Amino acid sequence: MVTVDGGFMRRFRLVLCSLFMSLAAGIPGPAGAADALPALHADGARTSVSGLSSGAFMAVQYAVAFSGSVIGVASIAGGPYNCANAAFGNVQMCMTGSQSGSLAWTTAQQLESAGQLDPLSGIARQKVYLFHGTKDSTVGLPATAATRDFYRAAGVPTGRLAYVTGLPAGHAFIAPSASDDCGDSRGPYVVHCVVKSRRYDQPREILKHIQGWSYLLCKTVRGATITHLK
């Protein structure tokens, strides 16, 4: 039996409703009023998207809709594409994994035919990292398994699809510097987990899998820490 924190569910529904109302009205969301971002000198040809929980669902949504310009996606404690629509707004079904990956793929094909998505052939070129902790009681393992099945149906080769489910993590992102224990599921939802006597470095594993970077190089320039990805 999967339990869902009531506060989390209310926030998740509010986000979904806000996005739906903005799209239906044809007006920009709250981000439309934000100041313009400074030039970041990012390489647009190497764009990837990652997220935890509702952010994981959103990462998959984005990576499917704009597959032509996204090289990879990381979903930590998330579920398959278009789940909320397929479940008629029943977020609980998305959290438990009641929707199948094959149904999600069929829906994506229909939306592609309607011209609402980038050509789905772009998904097979992506690198995908999927994670579920064995102590996560917020999002069920079947949700992550359905996401895996979706990407298999999309033609993502085995070598490009990382499916990590054996760590005793709670509903959280894993960082080696985090203080919360591996099985915790509480704010700020960042924990540390030990694998073979070493702390698991999830950001590094994601970047290594998707971008091909093997380590981070940091240096200080004029008092600011600059991170180089190699």
Side-chain angles (χ1 to χ4, degrees):
M1 180 67 179
V2 175
T3 59
V4 180
D5 175 72
F8 173 83
M9 291 295 294
R10 285 192 294 272
R11 292 192 297 272
F12 189 52
R13 290 193 182 100
L14 283 172
V15 170
L16 289 177
C17 289
S18 176
L19 288 171
F20 176 78
M21 291 174 67
S22 295
L23 291 171
I27 60 175
D35 293 336
L37 290 172
L40 301 175
H41 307 292
D43 185 352
R46 298 190 63 80
T47 300
S48 62
V49 57
S50 307
L52 163 70
S53 193
S54 58
F57 279 89
M58 192 63 202
V60 171
Q61 290 285 126
Y62 186 94
V64 172
F66 302 102
S67 61
S69 58
V70 175
I71 67 167
V73 57
S75 171
I76 298 106
Y81 173 74
N82 199 49
C83 185
N85 272 342
F88 302 102
N90 188 336
V91 179
Q92 178 71 24
M93 291 179 63
C94 296
M95 308 285 273
T96 59
S98 299
Q99 182 195 359
S100 70
S102 59
L103 175 60
W105 175 243
T106 299
T107 302
Q109 291 176 306
Q110 294 170 345
L111 292 172
E112 177 194 33
S113 298
Q116 297 183 29
L117 305 174
D118 280 359
L120 295 178
S121 57
I123 298 177
R125 297 191 294 270
Q126 294 177 351
K127 292 184 178 180
V128 182
Y129 174 98
L130 306 176
F131 179 88
H132 183 273
T134 60
K135 293 189 177 181
D136 186 344
S137 59
T138 304
V139 173
L141 176 60
T144 304
T147 311
R148 173 202 60 194
D149 295 342
F150 169 84
Y151 281 107
R152 283 178 174 173
V156 176
T158 301
R160 289 176 172 261
L161 180 57
Y163 184 61
V164 184
T165 60
L167 273 66
H171 189 69
F173 193 75
I174 303 173
S177 60
S179 57
D180 284 352
D181 292 335
C182 190
D184 289 345
S185 295
R186 61 184 182 184
Y189 299 100
V190 183
V191 301
H192 73 269
C193 298
V194 177
V195 178
K196 295 181 179 179
S197 301
R198 298 185 64 180
R199 292 197 174 198
Y200 184 70
D201 191 340
Q202 194 167 57
R204 179 183 181 278
E205 293 302 317
I206 290 172
L207 292 173
K208 181 180 178 181
H209 178 69
I210 296 177
Q211 301 283 1
W213 298 319
S214 58
Y215 60 91
L216 306 181
L217 199 72
C218 298
K219 65 178 180 179
T220 300
V221 179
R222 295 180 183 178
T225 300
I226 308 298
T227 301
H228 296 271
L229 305 166
K230 300 292 185 180

